[in-house]
Amino acid sequence: MDTIALLQDKRIILAVTGSIAVYKAVDLASKLTQAGALVDVIMTDAAQRFVSPLTFQAVTGRPVYTDLWKADNSGGLPTHIAHVGLGEDADLMVVAPITANTIAKLAHGFSDDLLSVTAIAVRCPILIAPAMDGGMYEHPATQENLEILSMRGVFRIEPEVGRFASGLIGRGRFPDTQTLIGHIRYTIGVSGDLAGHKIVVTAGGTREALDPVRYITNRSSGKQGYAIAQAAIDAGAEVTLITSAENLPDPIGVQVVHVDSADSMRDAVLEYTQDATALVMAAAVADYKPADVSNQKIKKSDDDLSIPLARTPDILMSVKAQREKTGYPLIAVGFAAESQNLLENAEGKLQRKGLDMLLANDITADDAGFAVDMNRVIVLDNDGGTQPLELTSKANIGAYIMDRIIGLLD
Ligand code: C5P
């Protein structure tokens, strides 16, 4: 698990209740800790029937809190009044898994154990992840209590449909760790510097159809675009990801628009950038497409086959025309993958496409670029400045772009 800049040194209270899913919360505590968060675990009595406090202590490296009535700090309590000390400078309280019983208690303000008292004492956002068996989640009592919590601004992760430990099938399953972390990032990020701003990101190599079964594409994986979309969520933006990548999970909180060809990507980009703060074009858009798309599968014969190609639209040129007319998107960022004359070619593109910033990468480098998690780019600005960035993760490049967008807005 890599560190996550947004979670670095964030204080997260992870409260766990008596659901069998509590064993999965151990992995969540571990991954949050590895990501850089300081995780303080609170366990109810029922949770301790499933997993021991020592398990959480081992993965977080911090004391685990179980008792409302400890009157001193011998158990590692942050103050003699545990719930106040825990809540004081927390960035987020996550109750995951939360049972029907604890949902009911929080909805009605009961506060008879460390978890429920802390939930009333904290001033940070609260995120809950219900997990329960059979029809308990659908029960009107649970649903009405959840409604009360939503109205009060509590964030919720919907449980998934699937098989329970009992063998029953229904909605109530605890999501996997990556999904939970996605929601945690969304909840912590939501009030970030880009709150209220729309950011549109493109990702993936476009697919240009030849016939009903074949297409021309390129080696772009979409990873850089997805990392940029996640960085925009971390910064609090409202994010639309227009993607032709097929095998990457949707980042939590992002509106994902699936497209395939350059033409369909252009239509989506022009539609979603009409009132956007920024567009980041990380997609590897094909330059050519088959001039004609055959309705039938092209049959093989003994002869060689030539396929005439036609130009695709240059999406950023269409965006430039839109910006000249309407001013939107306010900021346009492009990428340039080059195998020769990197800076010269990139500078030409920045000017021609009317960009505020362009990130150029040398695709001949074997430690960065396609399909891997690392990237090495040189950043060009429209005032002529250039800045090489060290080899770094695609996630860090995403965060860098968001910092620069925030700077340009200032
Ligand atoms: O011209 P080139 O493809 O190298 O430019 C790269 C930049 O332009 C990228 O940001 C890419 O997403 C964008 N692009 C585009 N429409 C195309 C080709 C590339 O918007 N047809």
Side-chain angles (χ1 to χ4, degrees), residues 210-214 290 292-301 305 307:
L210 190 54
D211 69 15
V213 291
R214 303 181 180 98
D292 299 301
V293 184
S294 169
N295 289 330
Q296 304 296 331
K297 185 180 169 197
I298 299 170
K299 299 294 286 179
K300 66 172 168 266
S301 72
L305 174 68
I307 301 165

Side-chain angles (χ1 to χ4, degrees), residues 281-283 285-287 312-316 334-336 338 349 353:
M281 275 294 297
V285 185
D287 293 324
T312 53
D314 189 307
I315 301 174
L316 280 174
F335 273 77
E338 303 289 348
K349 272 174 204 172
K353 302 190 186 210

Side-chain angles (χ1 to χ4, degrees), residues 152-310:
R152 228 178 263 154
V154 171
F155 294 85
R156 176 164 90 236
I157 306 174
E158 277 297 297
E160 295 174 355
V161 175
R163 186 187 169 282
F164 299 111
S166 64
L168 293 173
I169 291 178
R171 183 175 292 283
R173 276 179 60 84
F174 196 59
D176 64 29
T177 302
Q178 281 318 312
T179 304
L180 296 167
I181 290 182
H183 284 275
I184 288 171
R185 292 175 80 157
Y186 176 82
T187 311
I188 292 181
V190 83
S191 50
D193 289 335
L194 288 177
H197 289 282
K198 283 192 185 172
I199 307 280
V200 178
V201 182
T202 65
T206 61
R207 287 186 298 280
E208 311 299 331
L210 190 54
D211 69 15
V213 291
R214 303 181 180 98
Y215 55 75
I216 297 175
T217 189
N218 58 60
R219 294 178 59 190
S220 167
S221 63
K223 283 185 169 184
Q224 181 61 78
Y226 277 64
I228 295 165
Q230 179 64 61
I233 286 289
D234 288 353
E238 194 183 310
V239 185
T240 303
L241 175 64
I242 300 171
T243 175
S244 53
E246 282 184 314
N247 297 318
L248 296 173
D250 291 354
I252 301 290
V254 171
Q255 177 186 23
V256 181
V257 179
H258 289 279
V259 295
D260 55 1
S261 63
D263 286 278
S264 61
M265 186 174 277
R266 181 209 40 210
D267 294 347
V269 167
L270 292 180
E271 179 183 340
Y272 287 98
T273 52
Q274 277 171 28
D275 56 353
T277 296
L279 165 69
V280 184
M281 275 294 297
V285 185
D287 293 324
Y288 293 95
K289 60 183 177 182
D292 299 301
V293 184
S294 169
N295 289 330
Q296 304 296 331
K297 185 180 169 197
I298 299 170
K299 299 294 286 179
K300 66 172 168 266
S301 72
D302 290 337
D303 301 326
D304 290 344
L305 174 68
S306 297
I307 301 165
L309 298 178

